[in-house]
Amino acid sequence: MTDTARSSPLRAGIDWLGWRNRIVARPGFQRWAARNPLTRGHARKDGEAIFDLVAGFVHSQVLAALIELDILNLLRPGPQTLDDLALATDIVRPRLEVLMQAGAALGLLRRLRPGVYALARKGAALTGVPGLTAMIRHHAVLYRDLADPAAFFRDAPETELARFWPYVFGGDGVAPDVARTYSDLMADSQALVADETLAAVSLRGVSHLLDVGGGSGAFLIAALRTEPNMKATLFDLPAVGPAAQERLGAASLADRVSLVAGSFRDQSLPDGADAISLVRVLYDHADATVEDLLKKVFQALPAGGRLIVAEPMSGGARPERAGDAYFAIYTLAMGTGRTRSSEEIGGLLRAAGFEQVRTIRTRRAFVTSVVTAVKPF
C-alpha cells in the first residue's frame, strides 16, 4: 500500500473537518441553526458555553472578590441586607449590589428580595471545602502570571508562581516559614485528596506505609485512621518536620509514625514499608526526576509491595477540564513539573519495573486520579 493510500482516510477526515468548520463559522448558518427546531438546542448550548469562556475571567474575579471581602462567611449565619453588607465590607451600596447580583447569577448567592441576599447551596458548599478559600486567594499569583497569556505560552517567562513555590526545588536550605506556607496550603486541601484516594484504594493488609513527600502528614493521618494497626513513615524535607510533628501530635498519631528527613533527589528512600504513597508528588517534578524517584520507590519496596500514585492527571487522548485546563497550566507556571495522563504514568511505572499497573476511577476526578502498581515477585 502506498503512503498516499495509507494517508487517504486521514486526508478525508481533515477535509471533512475543514468543510464543517467553514459551514459552522458562517453567520447565516448560525442564524439558521438558532431557529431550526432540530438544531436550536445545540446552538443555544454552544453559544452559552462560548460566552462562559469569554466571561470566565470576570466570573473568577467575582468569586475572588466575594472571598477577599469575606461575603460568603458573612452570609453563613443567614440572609443580610445590602446596607449591612456595605457597612461590613466598606463598599458603597451601588457597587456592592453589582457584585451581589453577579454572585447570584453565578449560583453562589441567592437574591431573596430587593436588597436582601443569602448564600446559595453552591456558596455554602464552597465555604466548607478545606483550603479552598485559601487557594482562591492564592490564585491572584497565577492571575498575574497569566496577564499576558500569549507571552506566557510563547516565551516561558519567569513567573511569580515559581518564586512562590521555592519549596518544590528541594534541598535543605528551604526556609521554615516558606515550608510552613506550602505545607499548610497543601494540607488543607489534602483532606479531599485523601478522602478520594482512600475511597478508591483499600490499605487493608498493609502493615507499613511510606508516604514520600508527605508534607505535614495530612494524607498519612487519614490513612492511619482507616487502618488502626498500620504503622507509617513520612519522608520529606527537614523544614517540613516541625509542622508534621505538630499535626500528627494533634491527631494523637505521632507514636505510629516515623519522621525521616531527606530529599529523594539525592538520597535513597527509607526501607521497611510494604506500600508507598506518592500523593501530589509526580506532577511537581520534571520527567528525569520522576523516573529517578520511581526507580528508588521500586528499590525500597519488597517483592509484592504496592505503590499508590494520587494526583491530578491529564485526560491524555480525551482532554478534561481539571487536568488539562487548570492543573496543566498551573504546573507550567510553576516551571518544575507537568500533569501527566494515567497512561503516561503507567508507562513510567512499567519502565521502572512495576507490574499490575491499574488506573482506578475516583468519585471526583477533578480532585485526584489514582494509579496503583505492584513490585513483582
Side-chain angles (χ1 to χ4, degrees):
M1 182 181 292
T2 66
D3 290 342
T4 301
R6 279 196 298 266
S7 65
S8 58
L10 176 60
R11 181 71 262 169
I14 293 173
D15 290 344
W16 182 87
L17 287 172
W19 175 84
R20 190 277 313 271
N21 293 345
R22 289 192 296 273
I23 294 296
V24 172
R26 292 176 181 171
F29 176 83
Q30 293 176 13
R31 288 192 294 270
W32 172 84
R35 295 192 303 266
N36 189 296
L38 298 178
T39 59
R40 63 189 178 195
H42 293 291
R44 181 175 63 253
K45 183 177 179 181
D46 286 351
E48 290 172 350
I50 291 170
F51 184 81
D52 277 345
L53 290 173
V54 173
F57 174 74
V58 178
H59 295 173
S60 66
Q61 297 295 38
V62 167
L63 172 61
L66 291 172
I67 295 298
E68 191 64 33
L69 294 166
D70 208 31
I71 287 174
L72 300 186
N73 283 328
L74 288 171
L75 292 174
R76 285 185 74 170
Q80 297 279 333
T81 67
L82 270 177
D83 291 333
D84 288 339
L85 290 170
L87 185 63
T89 59
D90 194 28
I91 299 177
V92 296
R93 177 176 168 140
R95 299 184 71 84
L96 180 62
E97 186 171 16
V98 173
L99 175 60
M100 300 300 286
Q101 287 285 106
L106 295 177
L108 298 169
L109 310 177
R110 286 184 60 198
R111 174 174 162 157
L112 300 182
R113 60 180 183 272
V116 179
Y117 292 84
L119 271 186
R121 185 180 69 250
K122 191 189 302 183
L126 187 153
T127 64
V129 178
L132 185 54
T133 56
M135 182 57 74
I136 292 168
R137 287 191 172 96
H138 162 69
H139 277 160
V141 179
L142 181 59
Y143 295 155
R144 289 192 288 272
D145 287 337
L146 291 172
D148 186 343
F152 173 82
F153 287 104
R154 180 186 295 121
D155 302 329
E158 181 181 354
T159 61
E160 188 175 342
L161 195 62
R163 296 192 298 273
F164 186 88
W165 291 131
Y167 174 96
V168 301
F169 289 97
D172 294 338
V174 180
D177 60 332
V178 173
R180 173 60 71 107
T181 298
Y182 175 88
S183 295
D184 286 350
L185 186 56
M186 293 298 286
D188 286 340
S189 59
Q190 199 83 320
L192 279 177
V193 177
D195 286 346
E196 290 299 309
T197 303
L198 296 172
V201 178
S202 173
L203 295 176
R204 187 172 301 170
V206 174
S207 62
H208 194 128
L209 174 66
L210 167 62
D211 192 25
V212 177
S216 60
F219 178 77
L220 269 189
I221 289 171
L224 288 167
R225 285 173 173 164
T226 67
E227 296 295 327
N229 296 318
M230 186 175 70
K231 298 290 185 180
T233 297
L234 191 155
F235 181 78
D236 211 326
L237 298 175
V240 181
Q245 190 72 51
E246 179 182 330
R247 191 176 292 269
L248 289 164
S252 300
L253 292 169
D255 60 333
R256 295 171 58 191
V257 180
S258 299
L259 299 180
V260 179
S263 170
F264 58 71
R265 289 176 177 270
D266 48 34
Q267 62 192 92
S268 300
L269 301 180
D271 56 17
D274 54 340
I276 292 178
S277 53
L278 297 171
V279 180
R280 297 203 294 188
V281 171
L282 300 187
Y283 78 152
D284 272 346
H285 299 281
D287 291 347
T289 303
V290 169
E291 291 168 4
D292 183 62
L293 171 58
L294 293 179
K295 291 176 183 176
K296 292 178 178 179
V297 170
F298 187 84
Q299 293 166 359
L301 282 171
R306 299 168 57 195
L307 170 61
I308 301 165
V309 176
E311 65 183 38
M313 298 180 192
S314 163
R318 300 181 64 181
E320 54 89 29
R321 294 167 71 93
D324 293 290
Y326 174 75
F327 287 106
I329 294 168
Y330 191 99
T331 54
L332 187 62
M334 287 176 64
T336 59
R338 64 185 183 89
T339 56
R340 299 170 179 87
S341 68
S342 60
E343 292 80 9
E344 187 174 5
I345 291 173
L348 291 168
L349 295 177
R350 293 185 183 93
F354 286 97
E355 296 180 353
Q356 300 181 44
V357 177
R358 296 177 57 209
T359 298
I360 300 177
R361 184 183 299 275
T362 60
R363 297 170 302 188
R364 293 177 287 185
F366 62 88
V367 173
T368 192
S369 297
V370 174
V371 176
T372 62
V374 176
K375 180 173 177 177
F377 287 94

